[in-house]
Amino acid sequence: MALEKITYFDLKGKRKSINVKKVSVFSWGLIFRRKSPPLFFCWRTSRTFSIFSIFCKPFTATWLDENMRATKVVEVDNWKWNIRGRGKFLLEIPKG
């Protein structure tokens, strides 16, 4: 599993770098995964979309705009529905 380093800016404008696994927007994300690196989703354009956390361990969801700046950050517990954000990219970072 090859990881790729990305750089983004958090809500306070602080620059951060993280190793991620790029996945398809049709991927199930962290569902059913016991261990996983941070996952990076990319859409063609910026849009509003929802995620859910059925069968997931807690994670941090970060929506990013076209300039890799965070637009929303949510600490997601398991069994949550309709967590909405707007962006072109989404980072799912497992806790722990």
Side-chain angles (χ1 to χ4, degrees):
M1 167 176 47
L3 298 181
E4 184 174 322
K5 187 175 209 163
I6 65 161
T7 301
Y8 69 99
F9 298 90
D10 67 12
L11 289 173
K12 295 179 181 178
K14 183 179 176 184
R15 186 182 190 146
K16 295 187 170 194
S17 292
I18 188 170
N19 291 322
V20 298
K21 178 181 179 184
K22 287 189 173 182
V23 292
S24 164
V25 294
F26 300 109
S27 167
W28 283 100
L30 295 172
I31 294 177
F32 300 118
R33 295 182 191 225
R34 290 179 190 247
K35 290 187 178 183
S36 176
L39 302 179
F40 183 75
F41 298 85
C42 176
W43 281 262
R44 290 180 191 233
T45 60
S46 185
R47 55 184 282 239
T48 299
F49 55 92
S50 297
I51 61 172
F52 57 88
S53 62
I54 302 170
F55 301 109
C56 292
K57 293 190 176 203
F59 65 94
T60 302
T62 304
W63 284 265
L64 304 167
D65 67 11
E66 301 84 7
N67 299 314
M68 299 297 283
R69 295 190 179 280
T71 58
K72 185 174 185 178
V73 177
V74 177
E75 299 297 323
V76 181
D77 292 322
N78 41 353
W79 295 98
K80 299 294 179 191
W81 293 89
N82 200 24
I83 305 157
R84 298 178 62 81
R86 181 170 182 81
K88 181 175 179 181
F89 307 103
L90 172 67
L91 273 174
E92 288 187 356
I93 305 170
K95 290 189 178 179

